[in-house]
Structures are given as structure tokens and as C-alpha cells.
Amino acid sequence: MTALQASGERIVHGTCPHDCPDTCAMLITVKDGVATKVRGDPAHPTTQGALCTKVSRYLERTYSPDRVLYPMRRVGAKGPGQGSWERIGWDEALDTIAERFKAIASDDPQAILPYAYSGTLGLVHNFGMPRRFFHRLGASLPERVLCATAGRTGYNTVIGAQIGTDITHFADARLIILWGTNPITSNLHLWTRIAEARRKGAKVIAIDPYLSQSAEKSDWHLAPLPGTDGALAFGLMHLLIRDNLIDRDYIERHTLGFDALAARAASFTPEVVAGITGLAVDDICQLAKDYGNEPLSAIRMNFGMQRHAGGGNAVRAIACLPALTGAWRHAAGGVLLDNAGAHAVDLAALDGRHLLPDPLPRTVNMAQIAQALTELNDPPLKALFVYASNPVAVAPNNGLLRRGLLRPDLFTVVHEIFLTDTCDYADIVLPATTQLEQFDVHRPYGTLYTMLNEQAIAPLGEAVSNAELFRRLAARMGYDEPCFRQSDEEIAGEAHIRTAAVNASLDFDVLRRDGWQRIDVPLHYAPFANGNFPTPSGRCEFESANAAAQGWSAVPEFIPPRESALGDPALAKRFPLMLLTPPARHYLNSSFSSVESLVRDVGAPWVDIHTADAVARGISEGDRVRVFNARGAFEADARVGDKSRAGVLVAPSIWWLKKSADGENANAVTSDGLTDIGRGATYYDTAVEIERAG
Ligand SMILES: Nc1nc2c(c(=O)[nH]1)N[C@H]1C(S)=C(S)[C@@H](COP(=O)(O)OP(=O)(O)OC[C@H]3O[C@@H](n4cnc5c(=O)[nH]c(N)nc54)[C@H](O)[C@@H]3O)O[C@H]1N2
Ligand SMILES: Nc1nc2c(c(=O)[nH]1)N[C@H]1C(S)=C(S)[C@@H](COP(=O)(O)OP(=O)(O)OC[C@H]3O[C@@H](n4cnc5c(=O)[nH]c(N)nc54)[C@H](O)[C@@H]3O)O[C@H]1N2
Ligand code: SF4
Ligand SMILES: [Mo]
């Protein structure tokens, strides 16, 4: 509930809408209709009063002079630095779009593609009205794979749902493995728990080809070659089984397919694993000992390590580990990929999938948007509606994407808060609200609270929320289903009422009073202490009939990185280095590149290169370098040292192209191939070469 203070200030409950597992509770101070302060809610158990460095600057973002405040129409050519913007009214904007959509749809609505991702994760503005609109239209269905589908799908074959260790309990773990994740950047409030565990004597091990900030602050850093985590996981299984460091009782009662898994692990001797991962045999053995001897062991994997050709199977293999050792018996044991599955939300009620035509429209993979725009037929894409995403900066192989977006016959609409790189290719840009200007409810994917975001201030200029935009557009298209007239509160309420059986105690009055409410799981949450896995067998499925039915191996397998010496020796000869482009601490994907003070703090794009690789190429610290492959090239400043392991380049991302001196970013070179499972993006499975920029 909004609290009115003596000073005339109101404190409004907000929720950070960004694609971050923390989903912090915010308190927004509002005076005379203006937000004057944004801070973390001290009462919220995981936020504990702290926002990250990015979102602490939310006012700078919200009141930025660079906000898009009115609908605009392009005059002149598309492309960066081309053409100009002319302000138009909402009526003209909506009429233009509706007219164009009706004309295209009369032929085939699948020629229209919505491209939306993680600008906001709110249930109303991400899942609600926008998806209803495109379902009703019969547009092509975007396969939303940029981030997490490989890992999530793989994890689900073993565990049954996206449920894992509660971040709160990491504070009590005695051994923590950060497996392909850098929580100081990407999951700050988990790091707080890890730091607490360390103070209490826990050992923290980071498995990462890069000496990230978190790896630097860990007790032990292991740097395998990218994309080889699956082999390392099998190496651990091999040793755990060989040395009898497994919990036979837990395996017997709560798992399925142990013999098949053990047979697969048999060939992954420490020597074989050392050969694949580039780790020392002794280190692999020590890791297995550490893990097998500590029941209070919690593994945190994040999505970084699954953006490789074999990412889905790598996550599957790691997800088997805590059932082998019985670590699931303890609240402070187990593994966490994400916890979205612990929440019960009726997404079908939100996204109006009953409105979809029969047969279903075709799907277009969002990681392959570049190919879709340049190659797709039957029908070719004629209109692209981008909202809550910045594909020119974030999608792989963005050189080809930009060529596609320049097609003169393509009609592109972008609903945005800022004039992003993608707006450079738009015919029409529509102004979007920030989280302070809209109402929403959130289902975090990393914490166990339902979250409320009250509207704190009126929309700036003529900005509208996603829901309001598609409410208006639905009316223009003549859609008269009642769901298109629902208010934001009604949409939110609908999602939850239908889940009352599972989320029985969810109470909107409590949400309004506190801004958040814990979901119906106990405070001491050990989800699989007694088995009860939400798989078809009710067991942890080392061997999965569902996986086999999908055409994947029934037991996890190791699939080497595609663009590597293991996966493609000929390619690796031409492009011998593997490029990782993980999140930069001051940015959130490509968001916050609009906040000048953050851009100043970060400086310019850089790439970490190992001294040996630099010396071999005559590259010195601070040199301007060019990273390239057959897809494209981008420039950055070289940082030479031993932060990235030999053979690996690391370019923290994601920069706006227009903020880089060469007008490119790392996605000029990243792979638009797909993962083994889940048809996910493989950004980090990218072979490159590097040279001094001429
Ligand atoms: N500040 C900030 N926070 C963010 C984001 C952001 O852009 N900025 N992005 C948000 C989003 S969308 C997501 S999906 C999440 C998670 O985002 P993730 O992409 O999982 O990011 P990190 O947790 O930083 O983990 C990346 C780490 O994995 C390492 N890595 C890459 N490949 C491999 C590999 O093959 N094996 C191993 N072992 N390690 C590997 C990288 O070197 C890097 O240090 O973070 C969210 N939080
Ligand atoms: N090279 C490389 N590329 C990557 C990654 C990587 O690690 N390396 N990470 C990938 C991952 S994990 C992800 S999740 C994707 C993220 O990709 P995107 O989802 O595209 O994320 P952002 O770059 O944050 O862009 C979101 C845009 O939405 C706008 N926005 C915010 N809120 C709203 C709203 O309410 N309405 C509307 N209409 N717009 C809004 C913001 O201004 C911003 O420009 O990027 C992927 N790309
Ligand atoms: S980006 Fe993450 S850490 Fe930062 S405020 Fe949002 S939820 Fe919290
Ligand atoms: Mo993501």
C-alpha cells in the first residue's frame, strides 16, 4: 500500500522489472507527482534494502532527456545516422499500424512477427495483453530462446520442473560451487548469502574460463575450456561412483536410471576429462573429493554455461550431481538453475492462447531472426513489431540482422523507452513507460516471493505501457473479445485466482500492504529432501523417457562446443580463440547503455586476452584490437593478463552499437546456431581471431 508521510511524500511499493534473478522490492518516494528517490525495501527478505548499481540510478533513467516521449514516424532512409524522426499523434500511429497489419494479415498474418523479450518480466506487460494481441492476430510465434531454454529444458528432464535450492539457504552451505556464473554481476543478492557462508567457513569454488569478480573472491578458481562443463560433470560422477562418495539410499529411493548413468560416466576418467576440459587431473580429483565429502553442498549454475552447442546436456549432467550425493536432503544442498517453477501462475489465462488459430501459426526462432528476415519464405516476414527488446544489440549475428532490417519492403515498429540501435531501423517508434509509470505483478525466477509493482508516477509525455498499447491496437483492429478490455489489475488478478489451489494463501491485500508475499513453500525449503520430484516417475530422472521421446539421449551426454578444436578442427584452425561475451556489471543486457553515468563508469568496450595469446599476436595492454570471424568484426581495447584462460577471449557485454567507436558490438561475430536441447541461443560458442586494429 502507498503510505503518505507527513512531508507530503508518498512511498510506493515497486518491483524491479528487469531480467535478473533477484527481482528486488523497491520503495519509490513520490512528491507532487515526481519520483524523488528509489531504494531497496529493507523489509523484503532477499532485497534487504539494497539495489544494484544499475537500478539505484533508476531516476536518472526514468527522467533521462533521451526518453522517447511521443510516437514518431521515420522520414528518409533507415540505418544508423540516416533519415530523421517526425512527431505524429497516437491516432495516426495506431491507424498506420492497424492498416498495414490488416493488409498483410488478409494475405497471411504469419508474415507478421512480434519480437519481444526481457525489457520487463511483468506478468501483465510481458505475458498479458501483448501476447493476447499477437495470438488473436495469428502472427508467427516467436520462439523465446535468447536466454535460457537449453538449460531449463535440460534441467526439467532430470528434475521435472524449474525448482531448485532457495537462494536464502546458500548462506548455510558448507561448500558452494559457482558453475558458470558470476553472481556479483548477475545475482547480487545471492552473492550476499555466499559471502555470509564464507564468513561462516564455507569453501566457495568458481568454475569459469574467466577470472570473474566472483571467481576472484572465491576460495578456488577452476578454468575449464568453454562448453566442456558436461565432461567435467561426468568426470565428477565417475570419481564419486569409483570412490563410493555417493548416497546409495537416496539413489535407491529417489532416482531412476543410476546404472545407465554410471555406464555413461565410466569412460570419463580424470585423464579423459583433463584432455577435454584443459584442467589438471589433480584438480578434477580434488573437486570430486570436496563435493563428495560435503553433504551441505550447493551448486549455483546460471545460464552462461548453457549458451553452447551442448548446453542443454551440460545442465542435465550437473543437475544429476546432488541426487548422487544426496545433497538434496538438506535445504542448504542441491542445485539452483532457477526457481520459476516453484511459482504457480496461470500463464494460459494471461497470454490468451485460446485465441490462437487452428492450426497453430509457424514459429520463428528469436536467435535466428537474422536468417528469418533474409531467408524465410512462405510467407516472407513483412512486418516486425519489436517491444521490450533491442535485437540489433542483443541478437546473434547482428550484421546479417541489420541487412535484413534494411529490406525496403519490411515494416518495422518499435515500442521503446529510448532510441536504441533497433530504432535506427524502425518505420515507427512508439513511446514506452518505465516501471515507475505502470502497474504490474511479478513472478520472480530466482526468489520465492510474489511481487507487486504499484504505479508511482504518471506516464511521461505520451508514453504508454505494453498492455495499454495493445489494448489500443486491439480496438483499432476490431477485436471485441472481453479480454482486450481488461484493466491491468484485472489481468493480474486473473492469473492468480486461477492458481488459488496451489498458491492458496496469496492475498492481494497483503501484496498491496507489503509489496510482496512469500509463496506457499516453507521457510526451511528443501524441495527434494524426500524425493517427490515433479517428473513422470516422481524420481530424479538420470534416465528420461521424455528426453528419449524428444529425440535426445535418454541419459545425459557430453556434446562438445561446436566452434572449437573438438567440434570443428578446420574452423578452429582459422579462428583458434573462443569468445565469451558475458554480462557487464554496469549494464543489464543492452539496457542501461542509455544511462550516461553508467556508460562513463564502464568506459569503452574491452576484451580480456591471455598474455600468451596476446604476445603471439603482438598485442599489448591498451591496444585497439579487432575481433573477427566470417560473420563480422568488432573493435575493443585489449586488456592483457591472465583473467581469461589461454585460448579464450572475454568481452563483457552488451554495448549499444551506436556507443562504440566502430558502430559494432560483440554480436557482430556471435553464433546464431542452436543448442542441443531447447533450440536455444549459442552466443558463447563462437570461434574468432584477434588482431591489432589497423
Ligand atoms: N549486471 C547484470 N546482471 C545481469 C545481466 C546483465 O546483463 N548484467 N543479465 C541478466 C540475465 S538476462 C541473465 S540470463 C542472468 C544470467 O546471466 P549469465 O549469462 O549466466 O551471467 P553470469 O552469471 O554473469 O555468468 C556468466 C559467467 O559464465 C561464464 N561462462 C561462459 N561460458 C562458460 C562455460 O562454458 N562454462 C563455464 N563454466 N562458465 C562459462 C562466463 O565467463 C561468465 O563469467 O543474469 C542477469 N543479470
Ligand atoms: N553477446 C551476448 N548477447 C546476449 C547475451 C549475452 O550474454 N551475450 N545475453 C542474452 C540474454 S541472456 C538475454 S535475456 C537477451 C536480452 O535481450 P533483451 O530482452 O533485448 O534485453 P535488453 O537489451 O535489456 O533490451 C530490452 C529493451 O526493452 C526496453 N524496455 C524496458 N522496459 C520496457 C517496457 O516495459 N516496454 C517496452 N516496450 N520496452 C521496454 C529497454 O529500454 C531495452 O531497450 O540478450 C541476449 N544477448
Ligand atoms: S537488476 Fe537485479 S539486483 Fe538490480 S535491482 Fe533489479 S532485481 Fe535487484
Ligand atoms: Mo537472460
Side-chain angles (χ1 to χ4, degrees):
M1 179 86 79
T2 296
L4 190 61
Q5 301 189 327
S7 56
E9 288 178 339
R10 285 184 311 133
I11 307 289
V12 180
H13 285 295
T15 299
C16 175
H18 290 292
D19 191 346
C20 169
D22 299 32
T23 317
C24 290
M26 311 194 290
L27 294 178
I28 296 120
T29 309
V30 181
K31 185 157 191 203
D32 301 329
V34 177
T36 55
K37 194 170 173 189
V38 174
R39 64 197 157 100
D41 183 350
H44 182 244
T46 52
T47 307
Q48 292 185 319
L51 301 177
C52 62
T53 176
K54 312 172 290 291
V55 174
S56 333
R57 307 195 209 188
Y58 229 66
L59 294 182
E60 191 184 337
R61 183 169 187 268
T62 303
Y63 292 111
S64 161
D66 300 332
R67 284 277 304 264
V68 177
L69 293 176
Y70 311 100
M72 299 189 293
R73 184 169 67 87
R74 172 175 300 282
V75 183
K78 292 183 192 179
Q82 304 292 307
S84 60
W85 293 112
E86 179 184 84
R87 180 174 167 182
I88 54 175
W90 265 106
D91 281 337
E92 183 183 343
L94 293 170
D95 285 341
T96 309
I97 298 165
E99 227 168 77
R100 197 73 178 248
F101 276 17
K102 280 180 189 164
I104 296 172
S106 68
D107 239 3
D108 188 344
Q110 297 177 108
I112 301 168
L113 176 72
Y115 199 94
Y117 212 65
S118 67
T120 170
L121 297 192
L123 294 178
V124 174
H125 297 296
N126 181 320
F127 295 90
M129 199 58 89
R131 299 199 192 191
R132 289 176 186 178
F133 177 86
F134 288 106
H135 287 164
R136 170 71 173 77
L137 177 62
S140 285
L141 292 167
E143 268 185 293
R144 298 171 200 272
V145 302
L146 295 185
C147 179
T149 43
R152 282 180 169 164
T153 315
Y155 189 85
N156 287 349
T157 66
V158 180
I159 306 293
Q162 290 159 235
I163 296 178
T165 310
D166 178 352
I167 66 160
T168 312
H169 298 319
F170 276 75
D172 301 317
R174 303 278 313 156
L175 178 79
I176 294 171
I177 300 183
L178 301 175
W179 203 321
T181 180
N182 174 17
I184 292 182
T185 281
S186 65
N187 195 182
L188 187 62
H189 298 79
L190 170 63
W191 181 259
T192 316
R193 271 75 196 175
I194 293 173
E196 190 182 333
R198 253 190 113 216
R199 280 196 298 277
K200 294 195 283 188
K203 181 172 183 179
V204 179
I205 304 174
I207 301 176
D208 194 319
Y210 185 52
L211 184 70
S212 68
Q213 257 186 310
S214 311
E216 218 166 347
K217 291 195 158 62
S218 295
D219 296 285
W220 190 24
H221 174 216
L222 285 165
L225 283 164
T228 64
D229 303 278
L232 180 57
F234 278 114
L236 295 186
M237 292 182 212
H238 178 100
L239 292 165
L240 293 171
I241 295 168
R242 187 195 74 185
D243 298 342
N244 201 24
L245 293 173
I246 53 177
D247 182 337
R248 294 206 178 263
D249 177 60
Y250 191 92
I251 292 170
E252 178 70 26
R253 287 178 201 227
H254 303 310
T255 73
L256 188 72
F258 173 75
D259 290 342
L261 187 71
R264 170 98 355 126
S267 61
F268 286 88
T269 63
E271 291 72 24
V272 167
V273 174
I276 296 172
T277 59
L279 296 174
V281 167
D282 285 352
D283 286 345
I284 297 165
C285 294
Q286 185 61 46
L287 182 63
K289 251 191 223 149
D290 284 355
Y291 186 68
N293 284 313
E294 181 48 74
L296 288 180
S297 58
I299 300 175
R300 167 61 170 156
M301 8 174 198
N302 207 340
F303 298 112
M305 45 88 44
Q306 47 97 67
R307 297 190 187 112
H308 297 274
N313 269 290
V315 168
R316 282 179 86 186
I318 295 168
C320 292
L321 292 170
L324 284 176
T325 62
W328 281 124
R329 291 182 191 273
H330 312 282
V335 56
L336 172 64
L337 179 64
D338 78 292
N339 250 324
H343 297 253
V345 171
D346 190 347
L347 294 180
L350 283 169
D351 69 20
R353 59 192 72 167
H354 64 281
L355 300 163
L356 278 164
D358 181 18
L360 288 178
R362 70 175 172 196
T363 58
V364 173
N365 189 292
M366 289 182 68
Q368 298 188 322
I369 179 66
Q371 296 169 34
L373 284 174
T374 49
E375 289 169 17
L376 199 61
N377 272 314
D378 269 346
L381 289 176
K382 294 180 188 154
L384 189 66
F385 200 121
V386 179
Y387 64 95
S389 183
N390 182 12
V392 168
V394 307
N397 196 5
N398 71 16
L400 183 64
L401 169 58
R402 284 173 276 161
R403 289 197 285 286
L405 287 169
L406 281 174
R407 269 177 37 203
D409 59 324
L410 182 74
F411 177 63
T412 301
V413 181
V414 181
H415 182 226
E416 250 300 347
I417 299 170
F418 295 102
L419 281 176
T420 60
D421 291 319
T422 305
C423 294
D424 287 345
Y425 298 83
D427 294 280
I428 290 185
V429 171
L430 303 171
T433 43
T434 67
Q435 184 78 333
L436 303 196
E437 299 151 65
Q438 63 199 21
F439 168 93
D440 215 331
V441 284
H442 286 252
R443 168 204 62 169
Y445 64 91
T447 73
L448 301 174
Y449 298 88
T450 303
M451 309 291 295
L452 176 73
N453 181 77
E454 302 266 23
Q455 182 177 344
I457 57 171
L460 299 196
E462 294 182 5
V464 303
S465 67
N466 295 353
E468 179 56 18
L469 165 62
F470 289 104
R471 221 175 260 127
R472 292 183 186 183
L473 208 47
R476 281 296 200 289
M477 297 291 288
Y479 299 162
D480 55 9
E481 290 83 353
C483 71
F484 290 112
R485 290 192 296 276
Q486 279 188 323
S487 68
D488 293 356
E489 282 83 353
E490 283 167 339
I491 297 171
E494 177 150 6
H496 287 287
I497 288 162
R498 298 233 189 138
T499 59
V502 186
N503 224 1
S505 62
L506 186 86
D507 182 341
F508 251 88
D509 290 338
V510 173
L511 269 188
R512 286 226 122 109
R513 187 192 66 205
D514 298 337
W516 47 271
Q517 189 185 9
R518 190 170 170 91
I519 60 171
D520 279 345
V521 296
L523 274 176
H524 188 82
Y525 182 53
F528 309 123
N530 301 306
N532 296 323
F533 289 87
T535 52
S537 64
R539 291 164 171 258
C540 177
E541 297 199 350
F542 299 147
E543 189 172 21
S544 158
N546 267 358
Q550 301 279 341
W552 310 318
S553 169
V555 175
E557 59 184 330
F558 169 62
I559 296 173
R562 189 177 290 132
E563 300 196 358
S564 68
L566 280 176
D568 187 343
L571 182 79
K573 272 221 166 74
R574 283 173 66 206
F575 304 113
L577 301 171
M578 298 172 85
L579 174 71
L580 299 179
T581 52
R585 192 158 76 90
H586 288 69
Y587 294 154
L588 206 135
N589 300 315
S590 80
S591 291
F592 295 93
S593 296
S594 54
V595 176
E596 279 308 323
S597 72
L598 286 168
V599 178
R600 269 199 310 277
D601 285 357
V602 192
W606 81 83
V607 57
D608 278 291
I609 177 169
H610 191 269
T611 309
D613 294 324
V615 168
R617 292 164 178 81
I619 292 169
S620 312
E621 173 74 17
D623 278 355
R624 186 87 184 146
V625 289
R626 181 174 170 270
V627 179
F628 63 96
N629 61 17
R631 292 182 201 98
F634 71 98
E635 289 184 11
D637 297 335
R639 293 194 180 176
V640 179
D642 55 6
K643 280 202 166 180
S644 60
R645 61 158 293 149
V648 177
L649 300 180
V650 179
S653 293
I654 305 170
W655 284 81
W656 276 14
L657 285 67
K658 61 174 97 182
K659 300 230 168 171
S660 309
D662 62 339
E664 299 284 339
N665 76 1
N667 279 323
V669 300
T670 50
S671 163
D672 52 0
L674 301 183
T675 51
D676 52 346
I677 289 176
R679 294 170 54 78
T682 57
Y683 294 98
Y684 300 172
D685 200 330
T686 294
V688 294
E689 182 51 288
I690 186 170
E691 64 186 10
R692 289 177 59 174

